[in-house]
Amino acid sequence: MMPLFRVVIRGENYLVNLTGEPQLLGFHVTHYVKSEDEGTAGTIARIRTRQDRHLHESLLNPPENPSRLECASVKKVWWRRGRENGRYQFWEMSPGAHDSSRE
């Protein structure tokens, strides 16, 4: 049986229209992934985020200003906690900002 990992993905510089007006947002999203190791779990979680239809249908970034995804954390866990799987937590970014103080 493969171990379960809790992977937090951090997205930055997402120009999206979720409320009728374009906003530059960052986010965290948590995925629970069964995988052989931490590296593969992170890759699977990034793929799941990239394949999120609702997020990417709203994406307005031009090619010269791409969005960014990275693994904020990967931890081996024994079970899923609550309802955080696949839930996004957004924050507003100022243009060109790289906010590394968020967790």
Side-chain angles (χ1 to χ4, degrees), residues 10-16 23-27 50 55-56 59-70 93-98:
R10 178 185 175 89
E12 293 183 344
N13 202 44
Y14 274 70
L15 183 61
V16 293
Q23 292 179 286
L24 191 62
L25 301 176
F27 65 85
R50 283 190 188 105
L55 179 64
H56 291 282
L59 194 59
L60 303 172
N61 288 64
E64 63 274 5
N65 189 19
S67 57
R68 296 181 296 277
L69 278 182
E70 63 182 41
M93 297 184 73
S94 57
H98 180 77

Side-chain angles (χ1 to χ4, degrees), residues 41-99:
T43 299
I44 292 169
R46 281 192 302 274
I47 290 169
R48 285 184 186 173
T49 304
R50 283 190 188 105
Q51 291 177 342
D52 184 302
R53 181 177 57 90
H54 299 293
L55 179 64
H56 291 282
E57 284 179 355
S58 302
L59 194 59
L60 303 172
N61 288 64
E64 63 274 5
N65 189 19
S67 57
R68 296 181 296 277
L69 278 182
E70 63 182 41
C71 278
S73 72
V74 180
K75 294 181 182 172
K76 188 175 180 180
V77 295
W78 296 104
W79 61 84
R80 294 177 188 218
R81 275 187 39 200
R83 297 181 181 167
E84 64 183 2
N85 190 44
R87 295 232 175 175
Y88 287 81
Q89 298 174 341
F90 290 96
W91 67 85
E92 194 169 344
M93 297 184 73
S94 57
H98 180 77
D99 183 2

